[in-house]
Every structure is written in structure tokens, then in C-alpha cells.
């Protein structure tokens, strides 16, 4: 069952959308804490997001950009804003479609079905899912999942990119400059400590899988994957 996440601060509209979409067999979740939208996104891992623009604290453009750092799932904006520039902003900030309020529920459902088909169904590009494997350790970059035996860890996009680089270059070193270029388009604006913070998070993900000392710091060069586990370790 595919999950639709609604990010709408008008409870009446959110309830209307939720009850209508549920009738057609979808799992629907609605955000309640608009300061922590990404927490709900990570928890529910939706296949599609319906996103308002006018939200408390941060607007929908901001949250769409945050989603795009984690996922390529379809994002449909639903807003009372009708200006052309609002629609342009929605698309330029990572949105896939735009529906104006007031809306017809049938149109919302039709657009949901259309985008789900394009992203996952009969119209989706049939490309085999990538998986990187090293001695029983598996990384699924598109799923943002990290597996070892029966244990699994969810990843952010940057964590997955770092692990992918380490696994692809093993047993060679992944240089700091190479990692910065892979993770950020313009590394001149990245604080040196930012990469260190992300490496620390990656090490914690290995720890979640019961693996220690897997990311070795090579002084003056970068980082290297250190295979401290064996296939027998997942038994």
C-alpha cells in the first residue's frame, strides 16, 4: 500500500484530503508538527507528498528543498496562491506539480495516480535498482537503506553518498576533496568541519549495524573503508 503524506496546516482541508484519498486504498498520513516535517517524512517514508506553501515557521518551498536532499518522490503543491510566479517557485524548488485551492478532489486523486504511475508504476523508467555489496554489507542508494544481515539503518542522502564512495573506492582512499565535490556542488562555501560531522554520522550508521571501526581516517588524504566484519557476522 502506497503512502501519501499531507503537509497542510488547515485541519479541515487536511481531513478532507485524508478521508477522500484513503477511500481509494492509499495509506495517508498528515503532519501535525510543522516544525519537524522531516521527522514525519523519515518515519513514514511516503511515496508522494501533498504540500501547502503557507505553513507555520517555514514555507512549503523550504520543506520541498529538504525533501529533495533525501528523496526524489513526487511532491505536489496545493495552495491558494494562484500567481504564475508561485507556480514557478514551486517547480524550481523541487516540486512536480501544482494544484490551486479551491480544488476538486477528483483532480487531486487523478494527479496523485498519474505521478505514482510515472514514478513507480507502468510509466516508470525500468532501471534496475542499484545495490553495492561488500562481504555481506549492502547499500541501496536509491532506497537510502544500509543492511547487514537482519539489521538495517536508514540514511540521509549525504550519508548514502559517503558510504557509496567508500564502498566503490575500496580498498583505495576516498579523498576529502572528492567527497566534498560529490556531496556539495560548490565546495568553496562548505565549512571544513561539515564533512567531519557527516563522517561521524556515517560511523554511527555502521554502529547501528553492529560494525565498529569501519571508516578509517587517512591523515592528510581522506577516508578509507576498513572491512572489520565478515559474512559470518550476520549470523
Amino acid at each position: 500500500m502506497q503512502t501519501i503524506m499531507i503537509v497542510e496546516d488547515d485541519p479541515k482541508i487536511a481531513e478532507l484530503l485524508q478521508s477522500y484519498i484513503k477511500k481509494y486504498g492509499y495509506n495517508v498520513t498528515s503532519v501535525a508538527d510543522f516544525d519537524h516535517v522531516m521527522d514525519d517524512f523519515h518515519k513514514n517514508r511516503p511515496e508522494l507528498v501533498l504540500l501547502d506553501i503557507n505553513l507555520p515557521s517555514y514555507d512549503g518551498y523550504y520543506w520541498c528543498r529538504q525533501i529533495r536532499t533525501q528523496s526524489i518522490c513526487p511532491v505536489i503543491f496545493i495552495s491558494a496562491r494562484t500567481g504564475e510566479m508561485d507556480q514557478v517557485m514551486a517547480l524550481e524548488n523541487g516540486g512536480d506539480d501544482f494544484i490551486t485551492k479551491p480544488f476538486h478532489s477528483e483532480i487531486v486523486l487523478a494527479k496523485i495516480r498519474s505521478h505514482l504511475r510515472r514514478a513507480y508504476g507502468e510509466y516508470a523508467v525500468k532501471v534496475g535498482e542499484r545495490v553495492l555489496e561488500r562481504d555481506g554489507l549492502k547499500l541501496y542508494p536509491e532506497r537510502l537503506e544500509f543492511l547487514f544481515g537482519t539489521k538495517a539503518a536508514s540514511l540521509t542522502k549525504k550519508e548514502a553518498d559517503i558510504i557509496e564512495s567508500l564502498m566503490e573506492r575500496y580498498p583505495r582512499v576516498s579523498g576529502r576533496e572528492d567527497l566534498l565535490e560529490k556531496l556539495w556542488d560548490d565546495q568553496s562555501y562548505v565549512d571544513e568541519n561539515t564533512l567531519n560531522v557527516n563522517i561521524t554520522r556515517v560511523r554511527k550508521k555502521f554502529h547501528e549495524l553492529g560494525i565498529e571501526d569501519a571508516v578509517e581516517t587517512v591523515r592528510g588524504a581522506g577516508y578509507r573503508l576498513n572491512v572489520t566484519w565478515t559474512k559470518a557476522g550476520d549470523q
Side-chain angles (χ1 to χ4, degrees), residues 17-226:
L17 286 168
Q18 188 162 0
S19 61
Y20 185 79
I21 296 169
K22 271 186 175 179
K23 288 194 299 186
Y24 290 88
Y26 297 102
N27 179 43
V28 186
T29 179
S30 190
V31 171
D33 183 353
F34 295 96
D35 289 326
H36 300 93
V37 171
M38 293 307 294
D39 290 346
D40 277 48
F41 186 84
H42 291 144
K43 176 182 176 182
N44 295 295
R45 306 188 69 176
E47 275 74 30
L48 183 144
V49 177
L50 295 177
L51 180 61
D52 192 10
I53 295 176
N54 295 325
L55 296 169
S57 300
Y58 302 97
D59 62 23
Y61 302 139
Y62 170 84
W63 289 119
C64 190
R65 292 195 302 272
Q66 301 311 302
I67 289 170
R68 283 291 168 257
T69 68
Q70 313 286 322
S71 172
I72 58 172
C73 77
V75 175
I76 302 176
F77 279 88
I78 298 184
S79 176
R81 299 188 186 184
T82 58
E84 290 183 3
M85 204 56 219
D86 295 308
Q87 299 188 39
V88 169
M89 287 284 291
L91 297 174
E92 289 190 345
N93 280 276
D96 297 284
D97 210 333
F98 194 101
I99 299 173
T100 56
K101 299 175 183 175
F103 53 80
H104 292 287
S105 299
E106 294 84 357
I107 291 178
V108 175
L109 184 66
K111 285 182 176 287
I112 288 173
R113 285 173 166 169
S114 175
H115 283 285
L116 288 175
R117 284 197 303 269
R118 291 179 183 177
Y120 314 106
E122 59 192 282
Y123 302 145
V125 178
K126 304 302 182 184
V127 178
E129 182 178 21
R130 290 191 304 135
V131 55
L132 283 78
E133 193 271 342
R134 174 66 57 186
D135 293 298
L137 182 71
K138 295 181 180 180
L139 170 69
Y140 292 87
E142 283 82 19
R143 290 191 216 173
L144 300 178
E145 286 186 348
F146 201 27
L147 307 175
F148 184 55
T150 59
K151 295 181 179 180
S154 297
L155 303 170
T156 66
K157 182 67 167 61
K158 285 183 170 55
E159 290 166 354
D161 285 343
I162 290 173
I163 295 170
E164 180 177 355
S165 180
L166 292 170
M167 294 182 75
E168 284 182 339
R169 290 191 61 81
Y170 176 84
R172 296 168 293 162
V173 173
S174 292
R176 292 182 65 87
E177 293 78 10
D178 294 333
L179 287 170
L180 286 169
E181 186 175 347
K182 184 178 180 69
L183 298 175
W184 293 276
D185 293 333
D186 189 347
Q187 51 181 300
S188 63
Y189 293 99
V190 178
D191 186 276
E192 182 71 13
N193 191 52
T194 304
L195 179 57
N196 298 338
V197 170
N198 280 275
I199 290 292
T200 298
R201 290 173 178 164
V202 164
R203 286 176 170 141
K204 288 180 180 178
K205 296 301 180 179
F206 276 96
H207 177 75
E208 288 181 26
L209 301 185
I211 299 172
E212 303 295 340
D213 303 320
V215 181
E216 176 187 358
T217 301
V218 181
R219 191 176 299 277
Y223 302 92
R224 176 166 52 208
L225 186 66
N226 186 19

Side-chain angles (χ1 to χ4, degrees), residues 9-20:
D9 65 332
D10 185 322
K12 290 184 179 179
I13 294 178
E15 184 178 350
L16 171 67
L17 286 168
Q18 188 162 0
S19 61
Y20 185 79

